[in-house]
Amino acid sequence: MHRETLETLAFRTGYLTLFALLLLPLLVVVATSFAASGRLAFPPESYSLVWYGEFFGDVRWLTAFENSIIVGVGTAILATVLGVLAAFGQEIDDGSRIGSIVGPLVLIPLLIPPVILGITLLMYFSELGIRGSYVTLVLAHTLWATPLVYFVMRSVFSRFDWQQLDAAADLGAGPIQSFVHVVLPNVKQGVFVGGLLAFIISLQEFVMALFLSTASTETIPVLAWTEIRQALDPMVSVVSTFLILFSLVALVLAALATNLEWVSRQLS
Amino acid sequence: MSGANTDSGLVGPISAARSALPTLSELSRSNRSLLLMAPLLVFEVLIFVVPFAILLRISLTDGSSDHVYEPGTWSLESYATVFNSDLLHSIILYSFVLGAIVTVLSVLIGLFYAYAIWRSSGVVTSLLLLSVVMPLLTTLVIRTYAFNPLLSPTGTVNDVLLSVGLLSEPIQFVPATVGAIVGQLYIVLPYAVLAIYSVMATMDWGLVEAARDLGASRPRSFVEVVLPQVMPGIIVAAVISFAWSVGAYAAPDLLSNGITFAVHAEDLMIGDMRYSLAAALSVVMLVLMLVSVAIISAVLNFFGGDFDLA
């Protein structure tokens, strides 16, 4: 009995320590963003909002923010279209050979180190002569974001009621009509969550962006990287805090959207 | 207007066209699914398969003459450089050692933390899961950067250890390999936890209880009941941790003086513009990684089979 309580105690201490350690770096980022001095220390000696003021006066950061949003939205749209269509196609596929290669093909890019993907795509886009536009960044990020949309949609479609499609066809709906009016409304939560994940992935991604962006298209993580290598100052913490908040708000919105939907379904 | 179409205006042609389209259930299923998967297939071929073919082609161009890659040439010079350079050998070895250390740590800690999440309930489960998802919402640049004020000689960890009296002199965690290991572990650990937890969540706790009722100790019931069942999750966690850690870029570059293959490849590409050598190095690394991943999963599968109770 005594040994058992000791084991339980050790187990609890173990995972609570890990819990604290996992959140500590994020705490460092948020705390240092309020540092009064330019020296990066945790905890900061004194607090102020001076670096937040700096952020809103800095054209480079604001441009990077804009770039991140543009690339993120582009990625979310492209990845969602590709992922949703492919997942739906996979679901109604009756064992074609091409169907069986879609899953692995969409998954493999996730397992290749981003540095190798970055090098490969930089060479490719250079050959094509389309280096340094938003397009190259969106295409690269879509490579990573599509698997997420695809797997979210696979699980959503697995719960879809296929008789609805037959009913729609009986009523004379064409393929596009039934997809837009019958399939999509049923899975729109999944589409939303998948698109959001794609957006967040793009917002955070940095190694491929490092290779593919130019001065005019650099995203927030890329600019943060350049700044960090020059000097460690609280400005990067400010930007990171915004980035954390941004992703968190997006996730909460997603949770709310899916839950509200659920609530209204219960009421109707 | 001529022919059988007596409808006026635009309605006629449109409704005629519409009835000519097969309905979703009329169109043969495999044709429909092919049509739907086509955009993704085209995308993957154009942005993934073709670029790798071009990488392979560029790795075979003459990269020896000067620093710019020369289209149209054929040469094994870059591969010869990779196979003969002691510098590149030590860089590749360092990447694999770093990757192996981080993978072992991430699987062990990931297994423990996933188990803690699985055994907890209510708010605790949500909080523990949140602690895994939150770092994923933060770009890895920032995740890595946060370790500087923590691990530097004047940083928080050293301050605490010095003031408690555990240390008499500060330890240099960064820049050092220890820093790179910690930073990279923090990058891959959340994925490892989620991969293992997703399998654990489907497990039946009753089996563990049964084992304990039959007299198995806690560690024994974990090793003989839990471990074999979560082996698929462990394999995914190991593969992800390994692939990303061997290719680690941010943590080694920012937190350590050791040069990994990724850091060196970036130098070759962006700094020196040696496309051919960078391509050859990437191809060699990919092959070595694929072989290692195959070995890792084979070994884990073997142990998975060994532990099987059935």
Side-chain angles (χ1 to χ4, degrees):
Chain A
M1 198 64 209
H2 183 66
R3 205 189 129 190
E4 200 134 294
T5 37
L6 259 182
E7 276 177 1
T8 311
L9 195 70
F11 178 62
R12 285 216 180 123
T13 319
Y15 76 73
L16 288 177
T17 311
L18 273 173
F19 174 77
L21 288 178
L22 276 167
L23 291 177
L24 185 63
L26 303 184
L27 187 67
V28 171
V29 169
V30 176
T32 50
S33 75
F34 294 104
S37 74
R39 202 180 79 84
L40 201 72
F42 178 78
E45 293 106 5
S46 54
Y47 295 86
S48 98
L49 285 172
V50 59
W51 295 97
Y52 281 84
E54 291 272 311
F55 173 78
F56 286 105
D58 195 322
V59 180
R60 278 189 80 197
W61 282 111
L62 292 177
T63 311
F65 197 73
E66 198 186 313
N67 290 341
S68 276
I69 302 286
I70 292 172
V71 173
V73 170
T75 302
I77 293 172
L78 185 56
T80 306
V81 170
L82 294 176
V84 170
L85 290 183
F88 186 62
Q90 183 75 282
E91 206 61 44
I92 61 174
D93 183 59
D94 40 15
S96 71
R97 199 180 297 162
I98 289 185
S100 62
I101 65 163
V102 165
L105 194 61
V106 74
L107 184 70
I108 290 170
L110 274 185
L111 293 177
I112 292 184
V115 168
I116 294 185
L117 282 178
I119 288 174
T120 306
L121 289 176
L122 177 56
M123 287 177 184
Y124 180 56
F125 291 137
S126 305
E127 290 285 291
L128 292 179
I130 53 166
R131 265 187 74 175
S133 64
Y134 290 126
V135 176
T136 58
L137 284 175
V138 168
L139 291 175
H141 286 179
T142 302
L143 211 48
W144 263 31
T146 311
L148 293 174
V149 181
Y150 176 79
F151 287 110
V152 168
M153 292 314 293
R154 281 307 298 274
S155 76
V156 170
F157 280 131
S158 68
R159 281 171 310 209
F160 179 71
D161 177 12
W162 295 98
Q163 291 186 339
Q164 291 187 33
L165 267 189
D166 297 332
D170 287 344
L171 294 170
I176 296 170
Q177 249 185 325
S178 13
F179 186 75
V180 172
H181 294 295
V182 180
V183 180
L184 275 186
N186 272 291
V187 296
K188 61 178 183 232
Q189 287 177 27
V191 175
F192 178 68
V193 170
L196 196 72
L197 285 176
F199 178 74
I200 291 177
I201 281 282
S202 169
L203 208 60
Q204 315 291 2
E205 203 286 326
F206 133 79
V207 179
M208 285 188 280
L210 191 67
F211 281 93
L212 298 173
S213 66
T214 56
S216 61
T217 60
E218 63 184 359
T219 56
I220 282 205
V222 174
L223 181 57
W225 179 253
T226 325
E227 294 285 298
I228 287 170
R229 283 178 122 188
Q230 281 159 13
L232 296 168
D233 76 52
M235 187 70 140
V236 173
S237 302
V238 170
V239 180
S240 318
T241 307
F242 275 125
L243 220 55
I244 296 172
L245 264 181
F246 210 77
S247 304
L248 205 58
V249 167
L251 267 199
V252 170
L253 279 181
L256 277 180
T258 44
N259 265 330
L260 285 180
E261 189 79 19
W262 184 80
V263 169
S264 64
R265 213 185 304 139
Q266 301 303 306
L267 290 177
S268 61
Chain B
M1 253 184 204
S2 62
N5 195 345
T6 51
D7 286 343
S8 59
L10 283 169
V11 181
I14 287 180
S15 68
R18 194 172 275 166
S19 60
L21 271 177
T23 61
L24 198 49
S25 58
E26 277 166 11
L27 201 69
S28 105
R29 279 207 144 196
S30 58
N31 277 344
R32 264 187 284 151
S33 60
L34 261 183
L35 209 64
L36 288 161
M37 289 186 281
L40 179 71
L41 287 167
V42 170
F43 175 83
E44 294 287 338
V45 167
L46 285 182
I47 306 301
F48 186 66
V49 179
V50 173
F52 269 92
I54 288 179
L55 178 86
L56 197 61
R57 176 65 189 92
I58 290 179
S59 74
L60 290 168
T61 57
D62 188 1
S64 59
S65 54
D66 56 21
H67 280 183
V68 195
Y69 113 92
E70 295 185 29
T73 56
W74 289 93
S75 165
L76 285 170
E77 191 62 41
S78 296
Y79 285 98
T81 309
V82 176
F83 287 115
N84 294 325
S85 156
D86 288 340
L87 173 72
L88 287 178
H89 290 173
S90 67
I91 286 173
I92 292 172
L93 185 67
Y94 182 79
S95 308
F96 273 92
V97 170
L98 183 79
I101 295 173
V102 173
T103 304
V104 170
L105 290 175
S106 123
V107 168
L108 290 180
I109 300 174
L111 197 55
F112 174 79
Y113 206 60
Y115 182 77
I117 300 177
W118 184 49
R119 293 310 304 142
S120 65
S121 57
V123 188
V124 180
T125 309
S126 309
L127 281 176
L128 293 181
L129 273 174
L130 188 77
S131 70
V132 177
V133 174
M134 277 299 289
L136 290 184
L137 295 180
T138 319
T139 168
L140 67 93
V141 177
I142 274 85
R143 278 186 260 166
T144 318
Y145 148 91
F147 283 101
N148 268 302
L150 284 175
L151 296 180
S152 78
T154 58
T156 317
V157 171
N158 270 308
D159 278 357
V160 171
L161 292 179
L162 285 169
S163 63
V164 182
L166 275 173
L167 286 182
S168 53
E169 252 172 66
I171 297 179
Q172 175 132 6
F173 295 113
V174 286
T177 301
V178 177
I181 291 172
V182 172
Q184 185 61 26
L185 181 61
Y186 188 62
I187 289 170
V188 295
L189 186 58
Y191 298 100
V193 173
L194 289 178
I196 297 171
Y197 174 70
S198 65
V199 177
M200 260 185 193
T202 63
M203 265 174 57
D204 183 4
W205 175 245
L207 288 174
V208 183
E209 274 183 338
R212 288 200 189 158
D213 286 346
L214 293 171
S217 65
R218 283 182 167 206
R220 193 163 167 214
S221 64
F222 181 81
V223 169
E224 295 196 5
V225 181
V226 179
L227 220 46
Q229 291 196 67
V230 293
M231 207 40 97
I234 292 177
I235 292 176
V236 172
V239 167
I240 290 178
S241 303
F242 187 74
W244 289 0
S245 302
V246 171
Y249 175 73
D253 198 36
L254 208 57
L255 300 173
S256 135
N257 296 321
I259 295 175
T260 60
F261 125 80
V263 175
H264 189 67
E266 200 260 357
D267 270 354
L268 287 177
M269 268 301 276
I270 309 288
D272 303 343
M273 302 268 285
R274 297 185 67 176
Y275 278 29
S276 177
L277 186 55
L281 184 58
S282 301
V283 171
V284 169
M285 281 305 288
L286 261 186
V287 171
L288 289 176
M289 269 182 53
L290 289 179
V291 171
S292 323
V293 164
I295 293 173
I296 291 173
S297 38
V299 168
L300 288 179
N301 265 328
F302 175 75
F303 278 113
D306 228 10
F307 280 122
D308 207 331
L309 283 181

